[in-house]
Amino acid sequence: MPQGAPAPLVLLPGLLCDSRIFAAQLARFAGARAIDGFGERDSLVAMAHHVLAQVPGPMALLGHSMGGRVALEICRIAPERVERLALVSTGTHPTQPGEAEKRHALLDLGRADGAAALVDRWLPPMVAPARRDDAALIAPLRAMCIAVGVPAFAAQITALLARPAVEALLPAIRCPTLVAVGSEDGWSPPAQHAAIAAAIPGAHLTIVEGAGHMLPAEAPDALNEAIAAWLSLPLSD
């Protein structure tokens, strides 16, 4: 990379997602790159190493949902590679009571009745209530999630249920950081993101009105404006 050139924007998708979740971001930001899913890797650390192997040099790193947790593992493993950090619709809390049972119930449904049955149960709560009948939004999301498939879901929930603790990592992050969430995100709500932003020195919190958990697809223009502002922030000394 030439001296002084900005780090490329690298986008990390979440559970049951691939690069298609970032179609609007890839269209807006020249040189942006999305990791095309994590396949059947079954640990967040393995996913982080996959990203580090795929993208040389420094990154402006944006993780959505599970991708946010992968981004934090990259910060832990190779902080010098993260020039900027954006955490979108994600969490930093440990495994919650009942979480494993709920995730495994979805997996059992997928194994018994196929990926479409799993996605039709899992996806609607991931978008804002007012958008759940919006075919233009839901149809491509549904197709993406079905294509990612049940084996990847099984591996990814294994990774999420064994997630490392990150609370102590957050105060050590020193790069320009964006924390973004939809106001209607019922899976990872705004209060959760306010706590994340408060734990990271100098982090900027953006709450996008009317959007749910699938923020990059639900409110692409608003998220893109937040990303552009984040990319323009001066780097720490």
Side-chain angles (χ1 to χ4, degrees):
M1 182 181 297
Q3 183 68 30
L9 176 60
V10 178
L11 307 163
L12 310 184
L15 179 65
L16 271 180
C17 296
D18 61 23
S19 60
R20 285 172 278 188
I21 191 70
F22 296 121
Q25 288 71 49
L26 292 168
R28 167 74 184 270
F29 297 101
R33 175 177 179 179
I35 299 299
D36 198 26
F38 294 102
E40 297 180 33
R41 291 174 177 83
D42 62 0
S43 84
L44 298 178
V45 172
M47 295 175 191
H49 281 292
H50 173 66
V51 176
L52 289 166
Q54 291 290 308
V55 184
M59 294 175 274
L61 191 60
L62 182 151
H64 171 247
S65 193
M66 181 187 72
R69 291 186 179 271
V70 176
L72 288 171
E73 290 309 306
I74 294 172
C75 290
R76 192 199 309 272
I77 295 165
E80 73 284 358
R81 299 280 303 278
V82 183
E83 187 172 280
R84 302 173 186 272
L85 175 67
L87 302 172
V88 177
S89 310
T90 192
T92 59
H93 54 278
T95 306
Q96 301 297 291
E99 179 181 341
E101 291 80 4
K102 291 177 182 177
R103 292 191 186 275
H104 283 294
L106 284 167
L107 177 58
D108 290 344
L109 176 63
R111 285 173 169 165
D113 297 335
L118 188 165
V119 172
D120 288 342
R121 178 79 58 82
W122 176 81
L123 179 59
M126 295 294 151
V127 300
R131 304 291 301 281
R132 290 174 189 172
D133 294 324
D134 183 345
L137 171 68
I138 297 297
L141 288 175
R142 182 177 185 270
M144 173 187 68
C145 296
I146 290 172
V148 172
V150 176
F153 181 81
Q156 291 171 10
I157 66 168
T158 297
L160 286 167
L161 291 172
R163 55 191 182 255
V166 295
E167 291 87 349
L169 174 65
L170 301 182
I173 293 171
R174 292 292 183 268
C175 61
T177 299
L178 168 68
V179 180
V181 62
S183 66
E184 305 305 308
D185 190 336
W187 180 256
S188 53
Q192 181 170 295
H193 290 74
I196 294 170
I200 299 174
H204 293 253
L205 175 65
T206 295
I207 300 174
V208 178
E209 289 300 320
H213 191 70
M214 294 299 193
L215 180 55
E218 290 184 65
D221 292 341
L223 180 60
N224 285 351
E225 289 307 310
I227 292 170
W230 163 67
L231 291 174
S232 71
L233 291 172
L235 296 175
S236 303
D237 294 332

